[in-house]
């Protein structure tokens, strides 16, 4: 069986974070409020009332964090740009101090020999745009493309590749359909215009970045969806869920069309959001890479009662669980990668794992589950590459323990432990393991 040492030569090793989850300094240097500042302040929205106001204080401690990355021997670092540092209300006058922060960050990364991989939108929409409807308003897509151009004009001379959006599925469903994330709307399927407008924003921003000669990627959290049984009703429910979770966010970008959503009772024009010509704007035949954030597969059954959703979530049988309760099924990553080739064929761009990792409960376990999780997923990834799937890199989620959205500081995903009372960083066993793996992989590839 292939293992992680069989990953190809030139494979890029990285770690990932996101602005609101680590930066803190939410009112400093002219940063405007985002939907996450507003949401986290709402009583009961985030577990134990935690907010990202301080988080890991990365805004001030980034030199220390870059030293930690250098210690790992990373090739790349994926971070996100906070839109409200650059444009405090989402559009209008540029906040020079905010842009300067990312300028310093990029320079410091390059000095450490680490390639910056910025994500332009990781869920922290400017509150100023939310006040005008957020992603439910088509205009937000155009504001996003303008913002992309501003950041690219400043950093594009040093940053070769960019991710437009992070996980538009999660942002749409948790943020707009269920209300468990910012901005906390509960529109159920009528949230789908927010998905369409994010994808439109992706397409418009991709054109802006391509015009400047930059590479463009999109990061989706794809999940292989398996029916709970071979019964036709379970298979049909699984197909409907696959369309909603995976295909809505990938088909338009790679194929220029939406999957049929009739099984979900959703109109083809996504409640009037899809206008003539939109799919040409979203379709990105020259997409330079598809980012995959992989955590777990999904098991779906037919709904048991009338009304409600056209699918039910089923337990994944016989799998260990992370501290978050997510099933650990590494071979599902191999299946996902192979199925992407079957679904998209030549339209599938090179892949990069832009997030993978797990939260570990420190009160009951040491760090070994994280090492086991990452090793097994890297083996599964190597398996897919030996089957001919083009995977170019792996970014561990996450460099640091951080603000895990609605869970606050309760889920610890870091290779580095953070004491949130003092912001002190302490590398975990998985940090040493990852550092040694990166070095060993490089050494093995160098002698071939
Ligand atoms: C992903 C998010 C990332 C982090 C991990 C655990 O869905 O992109 O910010 O929260 O999950």
């Amino acid at each position: 069986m292939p293992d992680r040492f069989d990953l190809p030569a030139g494979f890029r090793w990285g770690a990932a974070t996101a602005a609101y989850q680590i930066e803190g300094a939410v009112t400093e240097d002219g940063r405007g409020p985002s939907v996450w500042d507003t949401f986290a302040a709402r009583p009961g929205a985030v577990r134990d009332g935690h907010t990202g106001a301080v988080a890991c204080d990365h805004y001030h401690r980034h030199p220390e964090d870059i030293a930690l990355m250098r210690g790992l021997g990373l090739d790349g670092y994926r971070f996100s740009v906070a839109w409200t540092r650059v444009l405090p209300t989402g559009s209008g006058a540029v906040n020079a101090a905010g842009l300067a922060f990312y300028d310093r960050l990029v320079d410091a990364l390059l000095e450490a020999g680490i390639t910056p991989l910025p994500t332009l939108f990781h869920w922290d929409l400017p509150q100023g745009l939310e006040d005008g409807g957020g992603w439910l308003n088509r205009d937000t897509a155009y504001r996003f493309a303008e913002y992309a151009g501003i950041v690219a004009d400043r950093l594009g001379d040093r940053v070769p590749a960019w991710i437009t959006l992070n996980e538009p599925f999660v942002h749409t469903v948790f943020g707009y359909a269920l209300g468990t994330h910012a901005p906390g709307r509960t529109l159920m399927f009528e949230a789908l215009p927010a998905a369409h407008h994010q994808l439109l924003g992706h397409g418009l921003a991709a054109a802006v970045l391509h015009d400047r000669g930059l590479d463009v990627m999109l990061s989706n959290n794809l999940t292989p969806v398996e029916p709970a049984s071979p019964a036709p009703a379970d298979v049909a429910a699984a197909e409907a869920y696959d369309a909603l979770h995976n295909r809505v966010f990938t088909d338009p970008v790679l194929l220029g069309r939406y999957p049929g959503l009739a099984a979900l009772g959703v109109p083809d024009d996504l409640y009037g959001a899809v206008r003539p010509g939109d799919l040409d704007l979203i379709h990105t035949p020259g997409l330079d890479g598809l980012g995959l954030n992989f955590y777990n597969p999904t098991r779906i059954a037919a709904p048991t009662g009338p009304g409600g959703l056209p699918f039910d979530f089923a337990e994944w049988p016989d799998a260990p669980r992370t501290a978050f309760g997510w099933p650990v099924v590494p071979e599902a990553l191999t299946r996902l990668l192979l199925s992407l080739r079957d679904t998209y064929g030549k339209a599938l761009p090179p892949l990069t794992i832009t997030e993978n990792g797990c939260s570990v409960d420190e009160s009951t376990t040491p760090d070994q589950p994280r090492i086991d999780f990452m090793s097994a997923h890297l083996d599964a990834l190597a398996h897919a590459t030996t089957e001919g799937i083009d995977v170019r890199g792996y970014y561990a989620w996450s460099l640091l323990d951080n603000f895990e959205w609605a869970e606050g500081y309760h889920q610890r995903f870091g290779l580095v432990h953070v004491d949130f009372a003092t912001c002190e960083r302490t590398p975990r066993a998985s940090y040493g393991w990852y550092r040694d793996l990166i070095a060993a992989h490089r050494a093995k590839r160098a002698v071939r």
Side-chain angles (χ1 to χ4, degrees), residues 189-387:
F189 286 127
E190 286 175 42
L192 281 166
H196 180 68
H197 296 144
Q198 285 175 80
L199 291 167
L200 184 60
H202 156 80
L204 296 168
V208 165
L209 296 165
H210 275 155
D211 276 352
R212 287 160 173 75
L214 302 169
D215 280 359
V216 182
M217 294 169 57
L218 164 75
S219 284
N220 279 338
N221 63 315
L222 300 182
T223 183
V225 180
E226 303 195 3
S229 84
D234 286 346
V235 172
E239 275 170 14
Y241 186 76
D242 180 48
L244 180 66
H245 189 125
N246 297 313
R247 301 197 65 148
V248 162
F249 298 91
T250 314
D251 286 17
V253 176
L254 299 184
L255 305 176
R257 59 172 185 260
Y258 277 109
L261 295 174
L264 302 170
V266 171
D268 284 349
D269 68 352
L270 305 183
Y271 306 97
V274 184
R275 296 198 189 158
D278 280 4
L279 282 157
D280 293 335
L281 296 172
I282 295 171
H283 188 198
T284 322
L287 194 70
D288 302 281
L290 182 65
L292 300 190
N293 296 352
F294 182 77
Y295 291 96
N296 52 253
T298 305
R299 203 156 181 260
I300 293 290
T304 40
L309 292 170
F311 47 77
D312 265 357
F313 291 96
E315 285 287 296
W316 197 277
D318 308 326
R321 309 243 150 203
T322 71
F324 223 139
W326 298 348
V328 181
V329 192
E331 61 278 12
L333 175 58
T334 314
R335 288 202 290 279
L336 171 67
L337 294 164
L338 296 175
S339 76
L340 286 174
R341 178 169 62 190
D342 294 342
T343 307
Y344 297 108
K346 287 194 179 7
L348 187 67
L351 304 172
T352 294
I353 304 299
T354 43
E355 288 182 24
N356 177 244
C358 68
S359 61
V360 175
D361 178 354
E362 293 189 301
S363 61
T364 56
T365 46
D367 202 29
Q368 193 60 36
R370 191 179 338 265
I371 297 174
D372 294 343
F373 184 99
M374 289 175 64
S375 318
H377 283 81
L378 284 162
D379 290 349
L381 194 58
H383 184 180
T385 62
T386 57
E387 298 283 325

Side-chain angles (χ1 to χ4, degrees), residues 156-211:
D157 57 336
R158 286 154 289 155
V159 175
W162 297 69
I163 296 170
T164 53
L165 308 174
N166 180 69
E167 301 188 359
F169 166 79
V170 173
H171 190 55
T172 303
V173 169
F174 289 10
Y176 288 84
L178 303 174
T180 52
H181 279 188
R185 303 211 190 195
T186 50
L187 297 168
M188 300 309 286
F189 286 127
E190 286 175 42
L192 281 166
H196 180 68
H197 296 144
Q198 285 175 80
L199 291 167
L200 184 60
H202 156 80
L204 296 168
V208 165
L209 296 165
H210 275 155
D211 276 352

